[in-house]
Every structure is written in structure tokens, then in C-alpha cells.
Amino acid sequence: MTDRRGNEPPRKRGATPGRENPPRKAQPRRPSTTDSARTTPPRPESTRDRLLRKAREEEQAAARRPVKKAAANPRPVKKAAAKRPAPGGAAPRKQVPANGAARKTAKRPVKKTSGKKRPPQNRPQPRPRKPRVRKAPRMLRLGRPTVRLRVTFGVMAFVLSLFAGRLVLLQGVDPDSYAQAATRENTKPFILHATRGAITDRNGVELAVSEDAVAITADPTQTKPVAQQLASIIAPKVTGTTYGKLVAAMTGKGRFTYLAHQVPPTTWSAIQAEIKTANATIAQQNKGKSQDQAAPLLAGLYTEDDPIRSHPNGSIAATVVGVTGADGKGLSGLEYGLNDKLSGHDGRAMYEVDTKGNKIPNANHTVEEPKPGVGVQLTLDTDLQFFAEKRIEQAVKQYKASSGTVIVEDVKSGELLAMANYPTFDPNKPYKPSDLNNPALERTYEPGSVQKVATMAALADAGLIDLNTKLRVPGSIEVQRRKIKDHWDHGPMNLTIAGVVAKSSNVGTIMAAQQMRIPQFVKYLHDFGFGQPTGLNFPGESNGKLMEGDEWPEITRSNVAFGQGLSVNAVQMAAAVNTVANGGVYVPPKLVRNYVDANGTVIPNQTAAPHRVVSEKAAKEVATMMEAVTAKKGTAPQAAIDGYLVAGKTGTAQEVDSACSCYRKWATSFAGFAPADNPRFVTYVVLHDPSDGVRGGGLQGGPVFRDVMSYALQKYVVPPTGAKQPDVPITW
């Protein structure tokens, strides 16, 4: 067998005699790695697909039919003329039968060359051409009814489960709360106001009490058609509101609104009478008219208990007692400071109501009774308070002062019998916010020479001075390059320590005070109550001002010794003088005497314990020095009281004017006690910025002290002791 070489043309397949090339079988398609993962459900077979499938089955059946063998070595019958291609040309492809099946051809005879047989060529069979299958057109896929039904039933089951769960929650888990909510829809709360406790003086005289009054309310759903008529009736009779506000409230939203608070019963009766008259007129006009044309009656107004605070004694102790607001709560004074005790606790009532908000008779209701407030009994004496207020008013007007204060204190108990201020106000009438202050506790000032009482008591207690102390007092003294002088011009004077007090010498006081160490002096001042609260717990009370620490410069100690460089309120200064009158024992001042509950039980008010500041001997020596002040040769003979031995001290101090932040105002004062040999009362008078007359504590404050102290001694029947004015030398 020889191989083809050169340009020998290839032999035509199946044309060689004696040889046949069997047709290649169709190779099965190799399985893809993704075939096993395909889970798409089979698509319904269309008509076109069915016809194509039958055609393929017929072709496969034809291919499987057996082919008849030809005779030995005959030349195979050519199905079609097949010419051998020219050398170098390409062999034409064999025609494939229409049915796509390859038929076996006879074997081509092998030419004998060189006596050897040519082995048959082992060429791969050509792949049959696959018919091109046209894809079927895309068609709209219809929904599956089974899926739709399942989804619908699932949604319905979920919704029904929600309703079932809610039903279980309402009926089984928490039925009470929903029942209460339903009850609230058909009930209406009513506030039962507690009766506010009364404020009385030490003898039970009423200074502030609660009287019956009402709050006018409205249901806008009923008052809206007749709001203008109702407003025209209410506005002229009720203060604190206007016609426009009333109309707006009665035409608003909701079922409830307040129109006015604390309306006296007489005023409400007048309003009701006018509404009744107006409704009678409307009813007469509506006769013969249809319901659509009839005018509506005036309705929709209601009332609630809303007690009003009254002050039977008008302006007496008004700055001390204070006032309440429209809501019944305290705004100033003791009404504000003791509001929790006075106000009590409001009650509450729940009534079933109809669709219009009216109470249903004999229906279920619950009532929580209110708890009345606690009454307060003060230490003040109304009679003495009234007299002190009138006397300080007279002095303020006489000397054209800006204001004035009088304090009367019981020496042994520290009870304040009077705390009078002018200007004052009447709580039963309109007032300004500036009227609500209590200057006796809220206003501070430099006390002036009245402070020398505490300075001399401290020096006497320390053993640095006594009644035999003599000083050579010059006209002025220099302290840390600052010159300090007395209020009158003089040359060197020989004064006893009593003379220093009687003449109110600043220079002599500084000379005596320089003997005491500053820390010791500061401690005495704190023991006298300076720079500390009085313990009254009065709202707005000022503690005064005292330089912190005890390492003061020398100039500060010198100024404080004669009453400059520190500030006090009137009650603080009165309590310091009362310490000397009480034998050297400081008694905290007291304003509230007792508390009285709703059952009448009296509960005493507890205060801080008294404490000793100076010895009884030192207090007695200072009282003797003060007796010389009211003597004929003293600075305040105007303060003397016939038949009584009086000890006192004048004060004249500069005040800072806020307009210039400079000293150009004055405060004149007088403090004293009587009887001096057995003190019963301490009275302190201060006038702020007097601008008329001769300025001085003895001239301006002395007469007020004399009149108020005389009234107190007579009212409480304090007999004269018969002691005579001691002959205490003031010079040597």
C-alpha cells in the first residue's frame, strides 16, 4: 500500500469499488454540569413542538432500518453522478438523504500496488448536520390558580389571627383597664377644693381667712350659639376678664373651660338672675315659631367651689401675712412661705354624666374628701400692730422718708408682737407687685451707732471695759491712712465709756475696740446673729452682710465697731439689742406661735434654742450705759417715758444711693427696752432716707419709740418699777 503524496487528489469517499464508508452515528450531547441543577418544570408541549418531535422519531426509525448488502465486487450503483475533482480541487460533500440518515455504501476495491494491500484509512465520520429548529414565539404565561388560592388563604388566616389575639387581650389578659377606660368616657371629675387654713394673731383675731366663692365654668358645645349674650352679662360683673376673652372661651373646642375664678356668691346670684330674665324674654319671643326659627336659650354655664381669700382687717400686717393668687396659692409673705401647710389637699369626685356633661341623679359616683389646711397662729398683736403701723406712717410722712419700720419683741420669749412697715397695702383692693415686699426682713442697710450696743457688750464681756473706763477722745482718728471723726466737731474730750455711748462717739468706740483681737470680735458678732438668718424662714429674707473670715484689715474692724461696713435687716438688729436686754442670752426671734389642725389641735412651733453671748454682768453694764442715752444730757431725751426707766441707743448711718453707687442717703434709727431694770419689750425704729427736719436717730426715731413702747406697756399692764435714772458720769 502506498501513501498519497504530492498533489494527488483525495479520493472520494464511498466511490472506491469494494469499499463503503458507513455513516457516522450521531454523537449524543455531552451532559452539562448545570443539567442536574435545573428544576424548571416542563412547559406544556405546543403543536409545533409535537410535529417536530414526530419528524425526528421518523428519521431515527429510518436510520435503524438494515441496509441490503451488494454482490461481491460489483461496482456500486451511484445514486447521483459524482465526478472526480480536478487535481488540487476540493472534494464535493456527499449529498445527505432527505431523511437525514446516512446509508452504507459498497466497499471500494483497493488497487494493488507493489503487491501489497493499502490499509483502509481510519478517518472520523463526519457529523450529521442538525436541522435548525426555530424557537417558538413567547407566549403570556397564565397564573396558577392553586398558588393564588394558597396566598389568599394565608393572608386571611393571618388577619383572623390578629383579631383573635386582640380578642384574647381584651377579654382575658387585661379586661379591667379597658373597662376603666370605658367608665372614664362616661364619668366627669370634679375637684373638691380644700379649705385653706386661717392666719390669726396671738389672740385669735383673723388676719386672713377663706370665704365661700365659686369658679364659673362653661361647656362650649352649649354656649357657642349664645356666647355673645352670656359674655355681655358676665363681663360687667366679674373682674379679671374681658368681653373678648369670655367669647373666645365659650366658642372654643372641648366640653369644659373656666371663665372666672373666686367669684363671690352674691355676684353669681346676680348673673343667674339676669340669665333667667333673658331666657324668659327669649321664650316669649319664640312663641308661635317653628323649632328651626326659634332663638336658643342662654345655657351652658356651671360653677365649682372656689374659696376666696379674705383679709378682715385690711392692711394690718399685710406685708407679713402676704396674699394668694387666683389659683388659691400663696404669692408673698407667710401665705407663700407656709403654702404647703395652709393649702391642705384637694379632694376629687367622679360622677356619671349624660351626653351633655350633666350629672346623672342617683348614678354611681366616688368621692375623695378634701383635707383642710392647717391654721397658723402668729405672735403678732393686732392692736399693737395697728398702732405701730399708724405711728410709723405718720413719721415717714412727717420727715419725708422713703419708708419706715417698727419692730416690737418680747424680751424673754423672742416673740415679735409687731412688725410694722410703711408703705403698705390693702390685700382686699388692687395692689402692685412692689407692694408685696416685707422691708423688715428683706431690706438691708448699715445700722449705724445702734451697732455700738453689741460692740460694748463684747468688750465688757472680755473684761476690756467697765463703767469706770475713761478715754481721752480726740476729734478724729486715723486708721490705715483714713481719717474717721465723730458726727459733731470737737477737740479732745475726757469721756467715760458711758459717755462714749451717751454721746455716740465713733472715735471713742474705735479706741475701745482696738483693745480686742479681730478674730475674737468677729466671733462675738456672729453670736449676736449678724450675717446669719434669723430662723423665721420668711420668704425673701436677707441675711445681711458681714465680711467673711476673721482676718479683717484694721479699717474694717474700726468701721464695723461703730456700725458701718456691715449690713443688717431690722429684725436682726432688734434681736441683737434684745440679747443685752435679756441678760446676755440670745433668743431667736419668733413669728409663728402655733399651728392648729382641722380638729382644733394646737401644735406649738419649735424654734432654735437660745444661747448665751455675753455674761449677765456685761449685759447689765451696757444697759446702764444705754440708760444715759435717754437722760437729759444724752442724745435721745425724746425717747424717755414718764414713770419708766428706759435704756436706748440712737443710730445715724449713711446709705448707698443706687443711682450713683455712692453714700448720699441716710438711715436714722433708735433701739431701746423698758423697763430698763426689768426689761419686758424691745422696740426698734428705723427711717430710711428722711429728707425733712434735723437728721438724727434721737430726734426722728426717739418719739416713735416712745409712743409705741408706751402703748405696749399699757396694753400688757406692765407697771412702772419706780426706779430712778442712775447718775452715771459721762465725762471725767
Side-chain angles (χ1 to χ4, degrees):
M1 185 178 67
T2 59
D3 296 331
R4 282 188 301 133
R5 300 172 186 250
N7 294 327
E8 180 181 359
R11 296 183 178 88
K12 188 176 182 181
R13 295 180 181 178
T16 305
R19 292 183 59 187
E20 285 185 354
N21 290 327
R24 178 183 294 180
K25 296 182 180 180
Q27 299 293 328
R29 187 177 65 86
R30 296 181 181 179
S32 173
T33 57
T34 60
D35 289 346
S36 60
R38 294 180 180 176
T39 59
T40 304
R43 188 174 60 180
E45 189 177 32
S46 63
T47 304
R48 179 183 178 86
D49 294 339
R50 180 168 52 79
L51 294 175
L52 292 175
R53 179 176 55 79
K54 288 183 176 182
R56 285 194 297 269
E57 290 176 356
E58 290 176 358
E59 290 176 356
Q60 292 174 1
R64 286 194 296 268
R65 295 192 188 101
V67 180
K68 295 181 180 181
K69 294 183 179 182
N73 296 330
R75 194 173 182 89
V77 179
K78 296 182 179 180
K79 295 291 183 179
K83 294 184 179 181
R84 196 174 182 87
R93 290 181 65 93
K94 185 177 180 181
Q95 296 293 329
V96 180
N99 57 5
R103 297 186 178 183
K104 295 183 179 181
T105 56
K107 296 182 179 180
R108 292 178 61 184
V110 181
K111 294 182 179 180
K112 296 182 181 181
T113 55
S114 302
K116 296 183 180 179
K117 292 183 179 179
R118 184 179 179 181
Q121 295 182 358
N122 187 17
R123 295 183 178 182
Q125 297 292 334
R127 294 183 179 180
R129 294 184 64 182
K130 295 181 179 179
R132 186 175 180 179
V133 181
R134 296 182 64 181
K135 294 183 178 180
R138 294 184 178 181
M139 302 178 66
L140 180 64
R141 299 180 63 182
L142 300 178
R144 300 180 181 178
T146 304
V147 176
R148 288 200 303 270
L149 289 175
R150 290 177 180 176
V151 172
T152 302
F153 284 129
V155 172
M156 293 177 63
F158 176 73
V159 173
L160 292 176
S161 65
L162 293 179
F163 283 107
R166 184 63 175 169
L167 182 61
V168 172
L169 180 64
L170 293 175
Q171 297 294 332
V173 178
D174 194 14
D176 295 336
S177 63
Y178 294 97
Q180 294 174 3
T183 303
R184 285 195 296 268
E185 292 293 330
N186 298 324
T187 58
K188 181 180 179 180
F190 293 87
I191 300 299
L192 304 178
H193 294 281
T195 303
R196 191 173 181 86
I199 299 178
T200 65
D201 77 340
R202 64 188 300 112
N203 300 313
V205 178
E206 294 177 337
L207 298 174
V209 294
S210 293
E211 296 181 352
D212 292 337
V214 296
I216 302 177
T217 65
D219 183 351
T221 60
Q222 301 179 47
T223 60
K224 190 172 183 178
V226 293
Q228 295 180 353
Q229 297 94 312
L230 290 174
S232 62
I233 296 174
I234 299 173
K237 298 179 176 60
V238 177
T239 60
T241 186
T242 61
Y243 175 85
K245 291 181 179 179
L246 292 172
V247 172
M250 288 187 287
T251 57
K253 298 180 180 180
R255 296 289 307 275
F256 181 85
T257 184
Y258 282 103
L259 300 182
H261 287 276
Q262 297 180 345
V263 178
T266 55
T267 303
W268 172 242
S269 298
I271 293 174
Q272 283 184 309
E274 191 167 347
I275 291 176
K276 185 177 180 180
T277 303
N279 282 336
T281 303
I282 295 173
Q284 185 68 25
Q285 295 174 352
N286 288 339
K287 287 184 177 180
K289 295 182 180 180
S290 62
Q291 186 175 0
D292 297 338
Q293 297 177 348
L297 297 177
L298 306 185
L301 296 184
Y302 304 93
T303 60
E304 293 181 359
D305 291 336
D306 191 12
I308 189 173
R309 201 64 166 172
S310 175
H311 299 78
N313 286 281
S315 62
I316 297 178
T319 57
V320 179
V321 174
V323 297
T324 58
D327 57 355
K329 296 182 180 179
L331 293 180
S332 67
L334 295 176
E335 292 277 21
Y336 176 79
L338 301 176
N339 184 72
D340 291 342
K341 292 182 177 293
L342 292 168
S343 59
H345 299 282
D346 292 341
R348 185 182 180 88
M350 298 291 293
Y351 291 95
E352 290 190 23
V353 295
D354 57 17
T355 56
K356 295 183 178 180
N358 300 316
K359 296 180 184 178
I360 300 176
N362 300 324
N364 294 331
H365 65 275
T366 59
V367 177
E368 180 183 349
E369 296 295 338
K371 184 178 180 181
V374 176
V376 178
Q377 184 183 32
L378 304 183
T379 61
L380 300 180
D381 185 312
T382 302
D383 295 336
L384 183 57
Q385 177 76 18
F386 173 77
F387 184 86
E389 287 182 358
K390 292 302 180 182
R391 188 61 185 87
I392 194 63
E393 178 184 357
Q394 180 183 356
V396 168
K397 292 179 178 179
Q398 179 182 354
Y399 301 113
K400 297 181 180 179
S402 61
S403 63
T405 298
V406 176
I407 303 295
V408 179
E409 183 175 357
D410 186 277
V411 171
K412 299 300 181 182
S413 64
E415 293 181 350
L416 300 175
L417 302 178
M419 188 186 294
N421 298 291
Y422 186 82
T424 185
F425 69 100
D426 187 346
N428 298 318
K429 299 178 182 179
Y431 51 82
K432 302 186 298 294
S434 58
D435 296 334
L436 303 180
N437 297 328
N438 182 6
L441 286 165
E442 299 180 45
R443 180 169 183 173
T444 60
Y445 55 94
E446 297 184 53
S449 294
V450 177
Q451 164 66 21
K452 294 173 184 176
V453 174
T455 300
M456 293 302 174
L459 294 172
D461 185 66
L464 301 177
I465 62 170
D466 57 27
L467 292 176
N468 298 320
T469 301
K470 300 176 181 180
L471 298 173
R472 178 75 172 175
V473 181
S476 63
I477 187 172
E478 186 174 342
V479 180
Q480 290 185 333
R481 295 180 295 180
R482 293 189 61 184
K483 187 177 181 180
I484 302 174
K485 62 179 184 178
D486 288 328
H487 64 281
W488 84 100
D489 295 332
H490 64 85
M493 297 179 62
N494 296 328
L495 296 176
T496 64
I497 198 66
V500 171
V501 176
K503 296 293 184 180
S504 193
S505 174
N506 297 336
V507 177
T509 303
I510 292 173
M511 294 173 63
Q514 287 177 342
Q515 303 177 67
M516 179 177 285
R517 295 173 55 250
I518 293 177
Q520 186 180 10
F521 181 55
V522 174
K523 182 180 182 303
Y524 274 112
L525 294 176
H526 284 298
D527 291 342
F528 273 106
F530 295 117
Q532 300 179 16
T534 60
L536 297 178
N537 297 323
F538 194 90
E541 176 185 347
S542 173
N543 297 339
K545 187 175 181 180
L546 188 66
M547 186 174 179
E548 296 182 358
D550 56 5
E551 296 182 1
W552 293 359
E554 184 62 34
I555 187 63
T556 300
R557 191 262 300 275
S558 299
N559 287 335
V560 172
F562 66 85
Q564 298 281 172
L566 81 162
S567 64
V568 298
N569 63 48
V571 175
Q572 281 180 324
M573 196 69 250
V577 175
N578 189 78
T579 302
V580 174
N582 195 35
V585 177
Y586 177 87
V587 180
K590 191 174 185 178
L591 182 58
V592 177
R593 194 178 192 186
N594 298 308
Y595 295 106
V596 183
D597 63 14
N599 298 324
T601 304
V602 178
I603 306 170
N605 180 33
Q606 301 297 328
T607 58
H611 62 271
R612 179 166 290 280
V613 181
V614 298
S615 65
E616 187 175 356
K617 177 183 177 183
K620 181 62 178 176
E621 290 179 345
V622 174
T624 303
M625 299 176 194
M626 295 173 66
E627 291 171 10
V629 173
T630 60
K632 292 182 180 180
K633 296 182 181 180
T635 56
Q638 301 87 348
I641 302 175
D642 293 338
Y644 292 89
L645 187 61
V646 178
K649 184 68 189 76
T650 61
T652 305
Q654 291 178 307
E655 283 190 323
V656 176
D657 187 351
S658 59
C660 64
S661 298
C662 61
Y663 282 107
R664 69 179 185 186
K665 291 187 176 182
W666 296 85
T668 58
S669 58
F670 187 91
F673 48 87
D677 54 339
N678 185 20
R680 176 66 190 276
F681 302 116
V682 166
T683 300
Y684 178 58
V685 181
V686 58
L687 292 168
H688 294 284
D689 195 26
S691 59
D692 191 14
V694 179
R695 185 174 57 243
L699 294 173
Q700 296 175 333
V704 180
F705 166 86
R706 180 194 61 216
D707 295 343
V708 175
M709 179 64 80
S710 298
Y711 185 90
L713 294 172
Q714 293 174 11
K715 178 175 173 56
Y716 286 89
V717 194
V718 179
T721 59
K724 296 182 180 181
Q725 187 78 37
D727 187 10
V728 180
I730 60 176
T731 61
W732 58 276

